[in-house]
Amino acid sequence: MIEFHLNSRSGLSPYQQLVQQVRHALRLGLLREGDRLPTVKDVARQMAVNPNTVLKAYRELEHDGLVAARPGVGTFVTRTLADDTLAAQGPLRKDLRRWLAKARLAGLDDESIEALFVSTFRSTAGEDVA
Amino acid sequence: MSAVLRARGLGKRYKKRWALQNCDLEVPAGRVVGLVGPNGAGKSTLLKLACGMLTPTAGTIEVCGGRPAAGVEQLAKVGFVAQDTPVYAALSVADHLDFGKRLSPGWDDAEARDRIRRLGLDPKQRAGKLSGGQRAQLALTLGIAKRPELLILDEPVAALDPLARREFMQDLMEAVAEHELSIVLSSHLVSDVERTCDYVIVVVDSQVQVAGDIDDLVAGHYRLTGPRRDMDALPAGQHVITASHTDRQTTLVVRTDTAVHDPSWTVDPLGLEDIVLAYMARPADAVRDTRPALEVVR
């Protein structure tokens, strides 16, 4: 079982934060197939958050095929994210390290590197949508 | 979808001053609605119109399908927790529960007593001796145990310390999860609204500036910054909420249903707080210009 928390400075809406925290836990192996997510009522109470927000997050996870709701029993993890991404992470991390070294050589400081990454990330994400 | 609150051209005038005017709303059932705006904007007036403590000067309001406070049945459908959660100081906690039981046809006595026990309140305690947080919890208990379809709360946590505020909101959210309950609450803490509400109504200067699903609003507003320019050049689907200029730069908050493609803008997403602030900051005469855009949300 995992415990959720909300970060008011994350820039993400509460429901997106819940989705992200479940995905993160799946990626890190904190949640495994068959694990039960906390009930909507428990999350609503513990976090003082709108139950509709929790429902919306669980529905999105269900739509992504990560969890399944069993009426009257609870919401259960049906798939993990750990295996398929972990394998791919090694080479990508290596590439990123190489790129970071290049960026520092070019004279960029941490802040500039972060700004460049975020703006490029956002603009490619925008292209995918459009 | 059925509406829990529907207003058409609703207005309330006190002598010469309009406390609320031209109010059109259609709030779906099952939502937790946050009503935000500066002090004196008309929030309490709207809430009192909804529970029938005030009658409209203009227009109509319908709550849970009926006219507010129209009869016993209608009164039972709507619960109201007034500002500063007033209780009868001389009466005990148990007296308050008896009072609720006699006045409310749908009274859930088991739930009321269970809540009082969980809160650790002594039923024999006089309500006047309770702390602010306990008093608020007693008022909430009465509101929940009445089992209304709609519970209206006017600034329920404004006077509470952070811990009492969190406990109050936890109990309220648990009640929403347990019962099919719609909530309308006013607050000037946007962070509370973001956490606990899924629908927001912004009232400024006696006018509803914007109302809609919070996720839709957050997805539909952006801050654009770029080289200084005239606003006439914007595409048709973009509605300017606020604009500010320096000699070189223009900063806009816009509402749009489509992505912003113009590469000369830096486009940033906005959180609920920034959106609410933008609507509060904008000149009052701008309201009518964007009315058609508001229809999109409903």
Side-chain angles (χ1 to χ4, degrees), chain B:
Chain B
M1 196 190 298
S2 67
V4 72
L5 183 87
R6 184 180 285 135
R8 289 277 172 270
L10 181 67
K12 177 69 190 173
R13 191 180 57 209
Y14 298 114
K15 291 185 182 156
K16 279 186 180 165
R17 199 180 74 83
W18 284 93
L20 188 74
Q21 49 185 339
N22 308 324
C23 171
D24 291 320
L25 285 172
E26 178 115 25
V27 180
R31 311 300 291 263
V32 182
V33 180
L35 180 60
V36 296
N39 290 332
K43 301 193 295 284
S44 292
T45 301
L46 176 56
L47 296 184
K48 283 178 183 160
L49 286 165
C51 66
M53 289 169 71
L54 291 174
T55 50
T57 315
T60 58
I61 181 165
E62 206 179 90
V63 175
C64 304
R67 196 161 53 79
V72 178
E73 209 178 308
Q74 180 69 25
L75 283 169
K77 285 184 190 170
V78 182
F80 181 61
V81 176
Q83 206 158 3
D84 302 327
T85 56
V87 291
Y88 297 97
L91 297 186
S92 71
V93 170
D95 290 339
H96 277 82
L97 298 192
D98 286 341
F99 215 21
K101 191 176 177 178
R102 278 182 213 181
L103 292 177
S104 316
W107 183 256
D108 186 341
D109 205 47
E111 161 130 19
R113 291 185 193 281
D114 185 47
R115 270 187 53 85
I116 294 300
R117 190 181 47 75
R118 274 187 291 150
L119 291 165
L121 294 184
D122 175 6
K124 290 194 282 293
Q125 173 92 283
R126 278 189 183 195
K129 292 271 168 63
L130 297 175
S131 72
Q134 290 173 327
R135 212 178 56 214
Q137 288 283 12
L138 175 58
L140 179 62
T141 300
L142 296 176
I144 291 173
K146 178 180 174 174
R147 289 299 196 90
E149 287 177 28
L150 168 68
L151 184 58
I152 298 172
L153 305 105
D154 193 359
E155 298 273 5
V157 295
L160 303 184
D161 65 68
L163 181 63
R165 201 169 86 207
R166 173 55 66 92
E167 285 171 350
F168 186 94
M169 283 306 186
Q170 285 180 321
D171 282 9
L172 185 61
M173 289 304 109
E174 186 180 41
V176 173
E178 258 174 6
H179 312 299
E180 281 180 19
L181 183 61
S182 304
I183 303 272
V184 176
L185 65 92
S186 65
S187 176
H188 42 230
L189 294 164
V190 180
S191 56
D192 269 355
V193 169
E194 190 157 33
R195 199 177 249 267
T196 55
C197 301
D198 49 38
Y199 195 98
V200 73
I201 301 171
V202 181
V203 182
V204 182
D205 276 343
S206 77
Q207 308 253 7
V208 173
Q209 301 281 330
V210 67
D213 181 280
I214 291 179
D215 287 330
D216 289 347
L217 289 177
V218 169
H221 285 81
Y222 301 94
R223 179 185 290 118
L224 310 183
T225 43
R228 180 166 184 145
R229 63 160 81 182
D230 284 333
M231 279 153 20
D232 308 342
L234 287 179
Q238 295 177 7
H239 303 272
V240 176
I241 310 303
T242 60
S244 62
H245 307 274
T246 65
D247 49 349
R248 288 193 192 157
Q249 196 183 42
T250 290
T251 304
L252 305 177
V253 171
V254 297
R255 170 180 198 145
T256 172
D257 294 324
T258 52
V260 178
H261 292 300
D262 188 337
S264 61
W265 289 119
T266 302
V267 182
D268 287 309
L270 286 174
L272 182 65
E273 182 139 27
D274 288 321
I275 295 170
V276 169
L277 287 173
Y279 279 97
M280 284 190 191
R282 113 184 140 140
D285 57 359
V287 178
R288 263 166 223 93
D289 302 344
T290 49
R291 270 292 154 91
L294 302 187
E295 301 289 344
V296 176
V297 183
R298 290 187 193 135

Side-chain angles (χ1 to χ4, degrees), chain A residues 24-120:
Chain A
H24 196 67
L26 289 171
R27 211 163 270 134
L28 294 176
L30 287 170
L31 276 178
R32 296 193 196 93
E33 225 174 296
D35 283 350
R36 189 168 68 84
L37 295 181
T39 64
V40 171
K41 186 181 144 190
D42 286 347
V43 179
R45 167 157 193 92
Q46 180 237 326
M47 302 175 67
V49 75
N50 188 331
N52 295 338
T53 300
V54 188
L55 267 177
K56 186 169 176 178
Y58 282 13
R59 269 203 299 267
E60 178 157 322
L61 290 163
E62 199 172 355
H63 184 256
D64 292 345
L66 297 173
V67 304
R70 284 187 232 151
V73 192
T75 304
F76 294 85
V77 175
T78 49
R79 189 159 74 82
T80 174
L81 286 171
D83 321 317
D84 45 340
T85 55
L86 270 181
Q89 274 179 20
L92 284 171
R93 187 186 291 268
K94 221 159 133 194
D95 285 355
L96 192 56
R97 281 227 170 101
R98 217 174 286 143
W99 180 85
L100 283 171
K102 251 194 205 163
R104 291 223 169 80
L105 264 177
L108 273 68
D109 60 9
D110 289 358
E111 206 176 319
S112 315
I113 291 173
E114 204 183 320
L116 180 58
F117 176 79
V118 170
S119 69
T120 312

